[in-house]
Amino acid sequence: MKAENNTYQAPAIGCMLGTANQILLRELEKALKEAALNLTTLEYLILRALYSKDGIQQCEIAEMVGRDKAGICRGVSALVKKNLVRTEPISYKCLKVYLTDEALSIQSRVMQVAESRHQSLMELIGRDEFDTFTKVLEKIINK
């Protein structure tokens, strides 16, 4: 891409990815409120990770959802206060996180939000573009 002063300017892919991420997170936050789920987007991501694999360490959750360990620690603490997870120490620095019955009771509502967000994205970009975009992101993440 050429700018008007004839100097090359690379596309701002990183900025575009960041903007897209923020938009998706805002839409997720709105969907969580509409579903009457008292969850932040981070808490939602933690629960989604635990719904797929209960009783995992906080560092595993961080890796699964692509967030830093400190943020996951804060999110888990908030979920403990909401009685949605419980923790069990396995060392002085490490906790395993487990879903509570209350978290299991809202699982279907959480998963409905997930399905709704996925369907909205599929309507926007379609299956072929989704698959291509996913492959590109995986290359960037796993380089």
Side-chain angles (χ1 to χ4, degrees), residues 43-81:
E43 293 165 355
Y44 163 88
L45 292 172
I46 293 168
L47 287 177
R48 289 284 314 275
L50 290 168
Y51 288 144
S52 69
K53 187 176 180 187
D54 195 15
I56 56 177
Q57 296 176 31
Q58 291 183 99
C59 57
E60 293 174 280
I61 296 170
E63 188 172 312
M64 288 174 77
V65 303
R67 296 292 181 96
D68 64 278
K69 293 174 191 173
I72 296 300
C73 183
R74 287 188 299 274
V76 166
S77 293
L79 288 169
V80 166
K81 289 177 185 170

Side-chain angles (χ1 to χ4, degrees), residues 67-94:
R67 296 292 181 96
D68 64 278
K69 293 174 191 173
I72 296 300
C73 183
R74 287 188 299 274
V76 166
S77 293
L79 288 169
V80 166
K81 289 177 185 170
K82 293 178 180 183
N83 195 36
L84 294 172
V85 301
R86 66 178 178 80
T87 60
E88 183 178 294
I90 57 175
S91 74
Y92 79 97
K93 284 179 69 177
C94 192

